[in-house]
Amino acid sequence: MDRETLARYLSQRKELGEGDIVFSRLSGDEALALARARPAAPAGETSAPLSGDYEEVRRTALACERCRLAGGRTQVVFSDGNPRGRLVVIGEAPGMHEDRTGLPFVGRAGKLLDLLLASVGLSRKDSVYICNVLKCRPPGNRNPMPDEIEACTPYLERQIELVAPEVILAVGGFAAQFITGRQVALGKLRGEIYDYRGVPALVTYHPAALLRNRGWTQAVWDDLQLLRNTMDRTGRSGGG
Ligand code: URA
């Protein structure tokens, strides 16, 4: 079945009042949005570096249609926090609450992230800029797909360039892969300081993973101490 036929089929089911169908973890509406969405642009077409100042890049992202996720989102989730922050935190992708509010990390995982940052004297109000590998919510919170990451990466690269943080903290496997270029388990990557284009970068478990597995608490605590020490050593003056 091609994409148009699938979209027509799903639309007719919806009009007839037929309930959700199980497409992995997708609801009927999510499957329909996916089928209606335009296919991702061919590899290479979307990955050129972006130029432009912060506002231009933000405006471009808010209108972005580079990949299929544009078809299913409520809002593009560009960032939160201080664009002049000392620390950039990179997560994976917006979830349901983020898609609704347009802000990253506002659900349960976000509340935990704020607490973790506060434990080392950091906050999105003064010292932290927060963004994600993907700016739009994947349907059913599935993992980001490689072509979606490729299409979205120029935004993240430019955000980091423009914020010019002293330190980067990547939370979760997808952000860690972006920073390190390595596709291995997070437990094997954490505890080290990487160099992301001249900026010291650390990786740790995603707060959502920590909520599911409290056994990682000590590791995250250690990572936060390493983060704090790294920031104290890089020592730009002011906020956090
Ligand atoms: N998880 C993420 O990785 N990012 C968010 O913005 C929310 C949850």
Side-chain angles (χ1 to χ4, degrees), residues 50 52-64 73 75-81 83 88-91 94 98-99 101-105 129-136 152 154-160 162-163:
L50 286 169
D53 66 18
Y54 189 85
E55 248 333 282
E56 282 165 7
V57 174
R58 198 179 72 89
R59 256 187 282 116
T60 308
L62 296 189
C64 183
R73 72 180 177 225
Q75 300 198 57
V76 173
V77 178
F78 188 68
S79 72
D80 194 19
V88 166
V89 174
I90 307 171
E98 291 77 20
D99 177 67
T101 58
L103 293 170
F105 282 102
Y129 179 86
I130 303 185
C131 55
N132 283 309
V133 171
L134 293 189
K135 309 293 183 245
C136 297
C152 221
Y155 294 116
L156 181 55
E157 288 173 343
R158 188 71 182 138
Q159 279 174 299
I160 296 171
L162 289 165
V163 175

mmCIF file of all heavy atoms in Angstrom, residues 50 52-64 73 75-81 83 88-91 94 98-99 101-105 129-136 152 154-160 162-163:
data_model
loop_
_atom_site.group_PDB
_atom_site.id
_atom_site.type_symbol
_atom_site.label_atom_id
_atom_site.label_comp_id
_atom_site.label_asym_id
_atom_site.label_seq_id
_atom_site.Cartn_x
_atom_site.Cartn_y
_atom_site.Cartn_z
ATOM 1 N N LEU A 50 23.626 25.529 9.231
ATOM 2 C CA LEU A 50 22.809 26.744 9.182
ATOM 3 C C LEU A 50 23.665 27.941 9.561
ATOM 4 O O LEU A 50 24.553 27.828 10.407
ATOM 5 C CB LEU A 50 21.680 26.655 10.205
ATOM 6 C CG LEU A 50 20.515 25.730 9.872
ATOM 7 C CD1 LEU A 50 19.644 25.550 11.099
ATOM 8 C CD2 LEU A 50 19.710 26.282 8.718
ATOM 9 N N GLY A 52 23.097 32.394 10.247
ATOM 10 C CA GLY A 52 22.035 33.253 10.776
ATOM 11 C C GLY A 52 22.159 33.415 12.274
ATOM 12 O O GLY A 52 22.764 32.579 12.945
ATOM 13 N N ASP A 53 21.565 34.515 12.752
ATOM 14 C CA ASP A 53 21.664 34.766 14.188
ATOM 15 C C ASP A 53 20.609 33.936 14.927
ATOM 16 O O ASP A 53 19.828 33.210 14.316
ATOM 17 C CB ASP A 53 21.566 36.270 14.493
ATOM 18 C CG ASP A 53 20.198 36.861 14.153
ATOM 19 O OD1 ASP A 53 19.222 36.086 14.006
ATOM 20 O OD2 ASP A 53 20.106 38.094 14.011
ATOM 21 N N TYR A 54 20.607 34.100 16.242
ATOM 22 C CA TYR A 54 19.759 33.245 17.077
ATOM 23 C C TYR A 54 18.284 33.347 16.661
ATOM 24 O O TYR A 54 17.596 32.343 16.490
ATOM 25 C CB TYR A 54 19.937 33.626 18.552
ATOM 26 C CG TYR A 54 19.265 32.660 19.481
ATOM 27 C CD1 TYR A 54 19.904 31.493 19.886
ATOM 28 C CD2 TYR A 54 17.967 32.892 19.920
ATOM 29 C CE1 TYR A 54 19.267 30.580 20.718
ATOM 30 C CE2 TYR A 54 17.328 31.993 20.750
ATOM 31 C CZ TYR A 54 17.978 30.843 21.145
ATOM 32 O OH TYR A 54 17.341 29.949 21.959
ATOM 33 N N GLU A 55 17.796 34.569 16.494
ATOM 34 C CA GLU A 55 16.370 34.751 16.165
ATOM 35 C C GLU A 55 16.036 34.138 14.809
ATOM 36 O O GLU A 55 14.987 33.527 14.632
ATOM 37 C CB GLU A 55 16.019 36.248 16.162
ATOM 38 C CG GLU A 55 15.095 36.688 17.277
ATOM 39 C CD GLU A 55 14.146 35.621 17.835
ATOM 40 O OE1 GLU A 55 13.137 35.331 17.184
ATOM 41 O OE2 GLU A 55 14.401 35.072 18.907
ATOM 42 N N GLU A 56 16.944 34.302 13.847
ATOM 43 C CA GLU A 56 16.689 33.729 12.508
ATOM 44 C C GLU A 56 16.599 32.210 12.593
ATOM 45 O O GLU A 56 15.720 31.591 12.000
ATOM 46 C CB GLU A 56 17.812 34.107 11.543
ATOM 47 C CG GLU A 56 17.712 35.522 11.015
ATOM 48 C CD GLU A 56 19.022 35.997 10.370
ATOM 49 O OE1 GLU A 56 19.958 35.188 10.207
ATOM 50 O OE2 GLU A 56 19.101 37.176 10.057
ATOM 51 N N VAL A 57 17.533 31.638 13.336
ATOM 52 C CA VAL A 57 17.556 30.169 13.440
ATOM 53 C C VAL A 57 16.298 29.684 14.165
ATOM 54 O O VAL A 57 15.664 28.710 13.763
ATOM 55 C CB VAL A 57 18.838 29.694 14.163
ATOM 56 C CG1 VAL A 57 18.814 28.204 14.408
ATOM 57 C CG2 VAL A 57 20.060 30.072 13.343
ATOM 58 N N ARG A 58 15.914 30.407 15.207
ATOM 59 C CA ARG A 58 14.713 30.009 15.961
ATOM 60 C C ARG A 58 13.476 30.095 15.061
ATOM 61 O O ARG A 58 12.662 29.173 15.005
ATOM 62 C CB ARG A 58 14.537 30.916 17.186
ATOM 63 C CG ARG A 58 13.598 30.329 18.240
ATOM 64 C CD ARG A 58 13.487 31.254 19.433
ATOM 65 N NE ARG A 58 12.714 32.428 19.079
ATOM 66 C CZ ARG A 58 11.385 32.514 19.192
ATOM 67 N NH1 ARG A 58 10.700 31.514 19.679
ATOM 68 N NH2 ARG A 58 10.755 33.610 18.824
ATOM 69 N N ARG A 59 13.381 31.202 14.304
ATOM 70 C CA ARG A 59 12.211 31.366 13.433
ATOM 71 C C ARG A 59 12.176 30.279 12.353
ATOM 72 O O ARG A 59 11.132 29.731 12.042
ATOM 73 C CB ARG A 59 12.211 32.755 12.786
ATOM 74 C CG ARG A 59 11.187 33.661 13.454
ATOM 75 C CD ARG A 59 11.011 34.997 12.771
ATOM 76 N NE ARG A 59 12.101 35.904 13.113
ATOM 77 C CZ ARG A 59 12.992 36.395 12.262
ATOM 78 N NH1 ARG A 59 12.952 36.075 10.983
ATOM 79 N NH2 ARG A 59 13.941 37.201 12.677
ATOM 80 N N THR A 60 13.343 29.952 11.803
ATOM 81 C CA THR A 60 13.395 28.892 10.786
ATOM 82 C C THR A 60 12.946 27.573 11.398
ATOM 83 O O THR A 60 12.164 26.827 10.805
ATOM 84 C CB THR A 60 14.834 28.745 10.230
ATOM 85 O OG1 THR A 60 15.278 30.022 9.819
ATOM 86 C CG2 THR A 60 14.906 27.787 9.072
ATOM 87 N N ALA A 61 13.412 27.294 12.600
ATOM 88 C CA ALA A 61 13.039 26.018 13.244
ATOM 89 C C ALA A 61 11.540 25.958 13.507
ATOM 90 O O ALA A 61 10.911 24.912 13.323
ATOM 91 C CB ALA A 61 13.816 25.851 14.548
ATOM 92 N N LEU A 62 10.970 27.092 13.931
ATOM 93 C CA LEU A 62 9.543 27.071 14.277
ATOM 94 C C LEU A 62 8.664 26.788 13.056
ATOM 95 O O LEU A 62 7.529 26.336 13.202
ATOM 96 C CB LEU A 62 9.115 28.390 14.943
ATOM 97 C CG LEU A 62 9.776 28.703 16.297
ATOM 98 C CD1 LEU A 62 9.133 29.900 16.961
ATOM 99 C CD2 LEU A 62 9.747 27.514 17.256
ATOM 100 N N ALA A 63 9.207 27.056 11.861
ATOM 101 C CA ALA A 63 8.419 26.801 10.644
ATOM 102 C C ALA A 63 8.928 25.562 9.913
ATOM 103 O O ALA A 63 8.578 25.326 8.755
ATOM 104 C CB ALA A 63 8.519 28.021 9.736
ATOM 105 N N CYS A 64 9.756 24.775 10.570
ATOM 106 C CA CYS A 64 10.479 23.697 9.874
ATOM 107 C C CYS A 64 9.559 22.595 9.348
ATOM 108 O O CYS A 64 8.636 22.165 10.023
ATOM 109 C CB CYS A 64 11.494 23.072 10.844
ATOM 110 S SG CYS A 64 12.477 21.793 10.054
ATOM 111 N N ARG A 73 3.228 17.256 14.775
ATOM 112 C CA ARG A 73 3.521 18.039 15.990
ATOM 113 C C ARG A 73 2.409 19.050 16.275
ATOM 114 O O ARG A 73 1.688 19.466 15.369
ATOM 115 C CB ARG A 73 4.840 18.786 15.815
ATOM 116 C CG ARG A 73 4.715 19.950 14.843
ATOM 117 C CD ARG A 73 6.007 20.711 14.639
ATOM 118 N NE ARG A 73 5.836 21.748 13.653
ATOM 119 C CZ ARG A 73 6.687 22.009 12.667
ATOM 120 N NH1 ARG A 73 7.785 21.296 12.508
ATOM 121 N NH2 ARG A 73 6.450 22.993 11.822
ATOM 122 N N GLN A 75 3.550 21.757 18.468
ATOM 123 C CA GLN A 75 4.479 22.894 18.461
ATOM 124 C C GLN A 75 5.901 22.391 18.280
ATOM 125 O O GLN A 75 6.235 21.295 18.741
ATOM 126 C CB GLN A 75 4.443 23.615 19.801
ATOM 127 C CG GLN A 75 3.096 24.166 20.160
ATOM 128 C CD GLN A 75 3.217 25.230 21.239
ATOM 129 O OE1 GLN A 75 3.933 26.226 21.076
ATOM 130 N NE2 GLN A 75 2.540 25.028 22.338
ATOM 131 N N VAL A 76 6.715 23.221 17.664
ATOM 132 C CA VAL A 76 8.153 22.966 17.639
ATOM 133 C C VAL A 76 8.686 23.343 19.016
ATOM 134 O O VAL A 76 8.305 24.371 19.580
ATOM 135 C CB VAL A 76 8.846 23.829 16.559
ATOM 136 C CG1 VAL A 76 10.359 23.701 16.640
ATOM 137 C CG2 VAL A 76 8.337 23.447 15.176
ATOM 138 N N VAL A 77 9.560 22.503 19.553
ATOM 139 C CA VAL A 77 10.123 22.770 20.887
ATOM 140 C C VAL A 77 11.585 23.164 20.680
ATOM 141 O O VAL A 77 12.443 22.302 20.487
ATOM 142 C CB VAL A 77 9.990 21.517 21.776
ATOM 143 C CG1 VAL A 77 10.619 21.748 23.136
ATOM 144 C CG2 VAL A 77 8.520 21.139 21.917
ATOM 145 N N PHE A 78 11.842 24.457 20.679
ATOM 146 C CA PHE A 78 13.184 24.912 20.301
ATOM 147 C C PHE A 78 14.136 24.919 21.493
ATOM 148 O O PHE A 78 15.220 24.356 21.430
ATOM 149 C CB PHE A 78 13.089 26.308 19.673
ATOM 150 C CG PHE A 78 14.384 26.786 19.080
ATOM 151 C CD1 PHE A 78 14.923 26.174 17.959
ATOM 152 C CD2 PHE A 78 15.078 27.853 19.642
ATOM 153 C CE1 PHE A 78 16.124 26.597 17.413
ATOM 154 C CE2 PHE A 78 16.275 28.290 19.104
ATOM 155 C CZ PHE A 78 16.803 27.661 17.980
ATOM 156 N N SER A 79 13.711 25.536 22.592
ATOM 157 C CA SER A 79 14.631 25.624 23.741
ATOM 158 C C SER A 79 13.923 26.216 24.940
ATOM 159 O O SER A 79 12.811 26.723 24.833
ATOM 160 C CB SER A 79 15.812 26.542 23.420
ATOM 161 O OG SER A 79 15.375 27.892 23.385
ATOM 162 N N ASP A 80 14.611 26.183 26.060
ATOM 163 C CA ASP A 80 14.207 26.954 27.238
ATOM 164 C C ASP A 80 15.498 27.379 27.936
ATOM 165 O O ASP A 80 16.577 26.850 27.641
ATOM 166 C CB ASP A 80 13.331 26.100 28.171
ATOM 167 C CG ASP A 80 12.621 26.959 29.217
ATOM 168 O OD1 ASP A 80 12.504 28.185 29.020
ATOM 169 O OD2 ASP A 80 12.168 26.401 30.239
ATOM 170 N N GLY A 81 15.359 28.298 28.866
ATOM 171 C CA GLY A 81 16.533 28.712 29.640
ATOM 172 C C GLY A 81 17.220 29.913 29.017
ATOM 173 O O GLY A 81 16.640 30.621 28.206
ATOM 174 N N PRO A 83 19.821 31.768 26.747
ATOM 175 C CA PRO A 83 20.668 31.615 25.549
ATOM 176 C C PRO A 83 22.096 32.139 25.754
ATOM 177 O O PRO A 83 22.926 32.011 24.853
ATOM 178 C CB PRO A 83 19.946 32.427 24.471
ATOM 179 C CG PRO A 83 18.602 32.734 25.016
ATOM 180 C CD PRO A 83 18.694 32.663 26.526
ATOM 181 N N VAL A 88 24.963 24.114 28.361
ATOM 182 C CA VAL A 88 23.879 23.642 27.477
ATOM 183 C C VAL A 88 23.561 22.198 27.852
ATOM 184 O O VAL A 88 24.466 21.357 27.911
ATOM 185 C CB VAL A 88 24.270 23.726 25.983
ATOM 186 C CG1 VAL A 88 23.296 22.923 25.126
ATOM 187 C CG2 VAL A 88 24.262 25.171 25.504
ATOM 188 N N VAL A 89 22.278 21.933 28.133
ATOM 189 C CA VAL A 89 21.821 20.561 28.365
ATOM 190 C C VAL A 89 21.085 20.100 27.112
ATOM 191 O O VAL A 89 20.208 20.808 26.602
ATOM 192 C CB VAL A 89 20.867 20.486 29.578
ATOM 193 C CG1 VAL A 89 20.282 19.082 29.718
ATOM 194 C CG2 VAL A 89 21.594 20.864 30.863
ATOM 195 N N ILE A 90 21.465 18.924 26.628
ATOM 196 C CA ILE A 90 20.815 18.384 25.425
ATOM 197 C C ILE A 90 20.061 17.112 25.802
ATOM 198 O O ILE A 90 20.648 16.168 26.349
ATOM 199 C CB ILE A 90 21.847 18.036 24.332
ATOM 200 C CG1 ILE A 90 22.756 19.230 24.052
ATOM 201 C CG2 ILE A 90 21.146 17.580 23.057
ATOM 202 C CD1 ILE A 90 23.930 18.883 23.135
ATOM 203 N N GLY A 91 18.760 17.091 25.504
ATOM 204 C CA GLY A 91 17.951 15.894 25.707
ATOM 205 C C GLY A 91 17.674 15.195 24.389
ATOM 206 O O GLY A 91 18.360 15.442 23.385
ATOM 207 N N PRO A 94 11.028 16.124 22.287
ATOM 208 C CA PRO A 94 9.867 16.493 23.094
ATOM 209 C C PRO A 94 8.941 15.310 23.315
ATOM 210 O O PRO A 94 8.815 14.431 22.452
ATOM 211 C CB PRO A 94 9.154 17.544 22.228
ATOM 212 C CG PRO A 94 10.107 17.939 21.163
ATOM 213 C CD PRO A 94 11.084 16.833 20.996
ATOM 214 N N GLU A 98 5.746 18.585 26.344
ATOM 215 C CA GLU A 98 6.605 19.550 25.650
ATOM 216 C C GLU A 98 5.954 19.969 24.323
ATOM 217 O O GLU A 98 5.970 21.147 23.949
ATOM 218 C CB GLU A 98 7.988 18.928 25.397
ATOM 219 C CG GLU A 98 8.811 18.724 26.660
ATOM 220 C CD GLU A 98 8.396 17.522 27.503
ATOM 221 O OE1 GLU A 98 7.725 16.610 26.964
ATOM 222 O OE2 GLU A 98 8.740 17.481 28.710
ATOM 223 N N ASP A 99 5.371 18.996 23.630
ATOM 224 C CA ASP A 99 4.691 19.270 22.360
ATOM 225 C C ASP A 99 3.535 20.257 22.585
ATOM 226 O O ASP A 99 3.264 21.110 21.754
ATOM 227 C CB ASP A 99 4.168 17.935 21.795
ATOM 228 C CG ASP A 99 3.374 18.096 20.525
ATOM 229 O OD1 ASP A 99 3.975 18.482 19.513
ATOM 230 O OD2 ASP A 99 2.151 17.825 20.541
ATOM 231 N N THR A 101 3.271 22.487 25.220
ATOM 232 C CA THR A 101 3.675 23.797 25.763
ATOM 233 C C THR A 101 4.701 24.504 24.888
ATOM 234 O O THR A 101 4.899 25.704 25.020
ATOM 235 C CB THR A 101 4.317 23.633 27.154
ATOM 236 O OG1 THR A 101 5.448 22.749 27.012
ATOM 237 C CG2 THR A 101 3.351 23.047 28.160
ATOM 238 N N GLY A 102 5.404 23.750 24.056
ATOM 239 C CA GLY A 102 6.472 24.346 23.244
ATOM 240 C C GLY A 102 7.770 24.513 24.016
ATOM 241 O O GLY A 102 8.696 25.173 23.543
ATOM 242 N N LEU A 103 7.854 23.924 25.227
ATOM 243 C CA LEU A 103 9.074 24.045 26.041
ATOM 244 C C LEU A 103 9.649 22.669 26.353
ATOM 245 O O LEU A 103 8.885 21.734 26.643
ATOM 246 C CB LEU A 103 8.742 24.741 27.367
ATOM 247 C CG LEU A 103 8.336 26.208 27.260
ATOM 248 C CD1 LEU A 103 7.801 26.703 28.600
ATOM 249 C CD2 LEU A 103 9.511 27.059 26.786
ATOM 250 N N PRO A 104 10.992 22.546 26.334
ATOM 251 C CA PRO A 104 11.586 21.238 26.628
ATOM 252 C C PRO A 104 11.539 20.921 28.123
ATOM 253 O O PRO A 104 11.571 21.824 28.968
ATOM 254 C CB PRO A 104 13.044 21.398 26.179
ATOM 255 C CG PRO A 104 13.313 22.861 26.248
ATOM 256 C CD PRO A 104 12.000 23.554 25.988
ATOM 257 N N PHE A 105 11.482 19.639 28.426
ATOM 258 C CA PHE A 105 11.602 19.149 29.806
ATOM 259 C C PHE A 105 10.645 19.842 30.773
ATOM 260 O O PHE A 105 11.072 20.457 31.750
ATOM 261 C CB PHE A 105 13.059 19.282 30.283
ATOM 262 C CG PHE A 105 13.959 18.205 29.738
ATOM 263 C CD1 PHE A 105 14.820 18.476 28.685
ATOM 264 C CD2 PHE A 105 13.937 16.918 30.254
ATOM 265 C CE1 PHE A 105 15.647 17.480 28.161
ATOM 266 C CE2 PHE A 105 14.751 15.921 29.739
ATOM 267 C CZ PHE A 105 15.601 16.205 28.697
ATOM 268 N N TYR A 129 20.926 26.515 29.427
ATOM 269 C CA TYR A 129 20.125 26.539 28.198
ATOM 270 C C TYR A 129 19.784 25.085 27.881
ATOM 271 O O TYR A 129 20.671 24.228 27.886
ATOM 272 C CB TYR A 129 20.969 27.153 27.080
ATOM 273 C CG TYR A 129 20.292 27.230 25.734
ATOM 274 C CD1 TYR A 129 19.484 28.315 25.410
ATOM 275 C CD2 TYR A 129 20.480 26.233 24.778
ATOM 276 C CE1 TYR A 129 18.873 28.407 24.158
ATOM 277 C CE2 TYR A 129 19.873 26.323 23.536
ATOM 278 C CZ TYR A 129 19.073 27.411 23.230
ATOM 279 O OH TYR A 129 18.483 27.496 21.993
ATOM 280 N N ILE A 130 18.500 24.806 27.615
ATOM 281 C CA ILE A 130 18.069 23.416 27.415
ATOM 282 C C ILE A 130 17.463 23.238 26.029
ATOM 283 O O ILE A 130 16.631 24.057 25.589
ATOM 284 C CB ILE A 130 17.017 23.015 28.476
ATOM 285 C CG1 ILE A 130 17.595 23.211 29.878
ATOM 286 C CG2 ILE A 130 16.564 21.575 28.280
ATOM 287 C CD1 ILE A 130 16.694 22.729 30.998
ATOM 288 N N CYS A 131 17.873 22.198 25.360
ATOM 289 C CA CYS A 131 17.293 21.897 24.052
ATOM 290 C C CYS A 131 17.377 20.388 23.824
ATOM 291 O O CYS A 131 17.813 19.642 24.705
ATOM 292 C CB CYS A 131 18.004 22.673 22.952
ATOM 293 S SG CYS A 131 19.784 22.407 22.919
ATOM 294 N N ASN A 132 16.945 19.942 22.674
ATOM 295 C CA ASN A 132 16.880 18.509 22.374
ATOM 296 C C ASN A 132 17.538 18.201 21.033
ATOM 297 O O ASN A 132 17.675 19.083 20.182
ATOM 298 C CB ASN A 132 15.415 18.070 22.295
ATOM 299 C CG ASN A 132 14.767 17.916 23.659
ATOM 300 O OD1 ASN A 132 15.298 17.240 24.534
ATOM 301 N ND2 ASN A 132 13.622 18.554 23.833
ATOM 302 N N VAL A 133 17.848 16.934 20.845
ATOM 303 C CA VAL A 133 18.348 16.485 19.532
ATOM 304 C C VAL A 133 17.264 16.709 18.476
ATOM 305 O O VAL A 133 17.535 17.226 17.396
ATOM 306 C CB VAL A 133 18.747 14.993 19.590
ATOM 307 C CG1 VAL A 133 19.048 14.451 18.201
ATOM 308 C CG2 VAL A 133 19.950 14.799 20.512
ATOM 309 N N LEU A 134 16.024 16.332 18.794
ATOM 310 C CA LEU A 134 14.900 16.594 17.885
ATOM 311 C C LEU A 134 14.038 17.712 18.444
ATOM 312 O O LEU A 134 13.785 17.756 19.643
ATOM 313 C CB LEU A 134 14.008 15.363 17.721
ATOM 314 C CG LEU A 134 14.570 14.135 17.025
ATOM 315 C CD1 LEU A 134 13.447 13.128 16.785
ATOM 316 C CD2 LEU A 134 15.248 14.477 15.704
ATOM 317 N N LYS A 135 13.546 18.547 17.553
ATOM 318 C CA LYS A 135 12.712 19.672 17.990
ATOM 319 C C LYS A 135 11.220 19.351 17.926
ATOM 320 O O LYS A 135 10.400 20.157 18.362
ATOM 321 C CB LYS A 135 12.976 20.911 17.114
ATOM 322 C CG LYS A 135 14.447 21.274 16.979
ATOM 323 C CD LYS A 135 15.050 21.740 18.285
ATOM 324 C CE LYS A 135 16.492 22.161 18.133
ATOM 325 N NZ LYS A 135 17.426 21.297 18.870
ATOM 326 N N CYS A 136 10.867 18.225 17.357
ATOM 327 C CA CYS A 136 9.448 17.860 17.259
ATOM 328 C C CYS A 136 9.231 16.481 17.866
ATOM 329 O O CYS A 136 10.117 15.622 17.826
ATOM 330 C CB CYS A 136 8.990 17.835 15.795
ATOM 331 S SG CYS A 136 9.116 19.457 15.020
ATOM 332 N N CYS A 152 17.457 17.381 11.728
ATOM 333 C CA CYS A 152 17.366 18.328 12.854
ATOM 334 C C CYS A 152 18.742 18.781 13.361
ATOM 335 O O CYS A 152 18.835 19.808 14.042
ATOM 336 C CB CYS A 152 16.589 17.659 13.989
ATOM 337 S SG CYS A 152 15.420 18.748 14.817
ATOM 338 N N PRO A 154 21.385 20.265 12.104
ATOM 339 C CA PRO A 154 21.899 21.629 11.879
ATOM 340 C C PRO A 154 21.353 22.651 12.879
ATOM 341 O O PRO A 154 22.052 23.597 13.243
ATOM 342 C CB PRO A 154 21.431 21.956 10.454
ATOM 343 C CG PRO A 154 21.305 20.613 9.804
ATOM 344 C CD PRO A 154 20.816 19.681 10.875
ATOM 345 N N TYR A 155 20.118 22.476 13.354
ATOM 346 C CA TYR A 155 19.583 23.406 14.364
ATOM 347 C C TYR A 155 20.385 23.291 15.661
ATOM 348 O O TYR A 155 20.778 24.290 16.256
ATOM 349 C CB TYR A 155 18.103 23.102 14.653
ATOM 350 C CG TYR A 155 17.203 23.355 13.478
ATOM 351 C CD1 TYR A 155 16.496 22.319 12.877
ATOM 352 C CD2 TYR A 155 17.055 24.640 12.961
ATOM 353 C CE1 TYR A 155 15.671 22.550 11.785
ATOM 354 C CE2 TYR A 155 16.237 24.882 11.861
ATOM 355 C CZ TYR A 155 15.546 23.827 11.279
ATOM 356 O OH TYR A 155 14.745 24.052 10.197
ATOM 357 N N LEU A 156 20.600 22.055 16.089
ATOM 358 C CA LEU A 156 21.322 21.847 17.347
ATOM 359 C C LEU A 156 22.758 22.366 17.239
ATOM 360 O O LEU A 156 23.266 23.036 18.154
ATOM 361 C CB LEU A 156 21.294 20.352 17.701
ATOM 362 C CG LEU A 156 21.981 19.946 18.986
ATOM 363 C CD1 LEU A 156 21.445 20.728 20.181
ATOM 364 C CD2 LEU A 156 21.817 18.443 19.231
ATOM 365 N N GLU A 157 23.388 22.074 16.116
ATOM 366 C CA GLU A 157 24.774 22.548 15.939
ATOM 367 C C GLU A 157 24.842 24.076 16.025
ATOM 368 O O GLU A 157 25.720 24.643 16.672
ATOM 369 C CB GLU A 157 25.318 22.083 14.587
ATOM 370 C CG GLU A 157 25.608 20.596 14.562
ATOM 371 C CD GLU A 157 25.997 20.088 13.174
ATOM 372 O OE1 GLU A 157 25.740 20.797 12.168
ATOM 373 O OE2 GLU A 157 26.530 18.980 13.088
ATOM 374 N N ARG A 158 23.875 24.717 15.355
ATOM 375 C CA ARG A 158 23.895 26.193 15.350
ATOM 376 C C ARG A 158 23.531 26.753 16.731
ATOM 377 O O ARG A 158 24.088 27.762 17.165
ATOM 378 C CB ARG A 158 22.942 26.707 14.265
ATOM 379 C CG ARG A 158 23.006 28.189 14.021
ATOM 380 C CD ARG A 158 24.292 28.620 13.327
ATOM 381 N NE ARG A 158 24.351 30.065 13.142
ATOM 382 C CZ ARG A 158 25.433 30.804 13.337
ATOM 383 N NH1 ARG A 158 26.578 30.245 13.693
ATOM 384 N NH2 ARG A 158 25.416 32.101 13.144
ATOM 385 N N GLN A 159 22.595 26.083 17.419
ATOM 386 C CA GLN A 159 22.251 26.536 18.780
ATOM 387 C C GLN A 159 23.494 26.535 19.665
ATOM 388 O O GLN A 159 23.761 27.496 20.383
ATOM 389 C CB GLN A 159 21.200 25.597 19.411
ATOM 390 C CG GLN A 159 19.773 25.870 18.965
ATOM 391 C CD GLN A 159 18.798 24.820 19.491
ATOM 392 O OE1 GLN A 159 18.911 23.633 19.187
ATOM 393 N NE2 GLN A 159 17.827 25.257 20.280
ATOM 394 N N ILE A 160 24.251 25.448 19.597
ATOM 395 C CA ILE A 160 25.438 25.344 20.458
ATOM 396 C C ILE A 160 26.461 26.412 20.072
ATOM 397 O O ILE A 160 27.057 27.070 20.928
ATOM 398 C CB ILE A 160 26.042 23.930 20.385
ATOM 399 C CG1 ILE A 160 25.046 22.906 20.937
ATOM 400 C CG2 ILE A 160 27.367 23.859 21.154
ATOM 401 C CD1 ILE A 160 25.447 21.456 20.718
ATOM 402 N N LEU A 162 25.887 29.319 18.735
ATOM 403 C CA LEU A 162 25.444 30.665 19.112
ATOM 404 C C LEU A 162 25.427 30.876 20.622
ATOM 405 O O LEU A 162 25.754 31.953 21.105
ATOM 406 C CB LEU A 162 24.051 30.941 18.519
ATOM 407 C CG LEU A 162 24.037 31.121 17.002
ATOM 408 C CD1 LEU A 162 22.619 31.010 16.451
ATOM 409 C CD2 LEU A 162 24.653 32.448 16.598
ATOM 410 N N VAL A 163 25.039 29.854 21.366
ATOM 411 C CA VAL A 163 25.030 29.986 22.838
ATOM 412 C C VAL A 163 26.472 29.985 23.357
ATOM 413 O O VAL A 163 26.794 30.657 24.323
ATOM 414 C CB VAL A 163 24.196 28.853 23.493
ATOM 415 C CG1 VAL A 163 24.284 28.903 25.012
ATOM 416 C CG2 VAL A 163 22.731 28.952 23.048
#
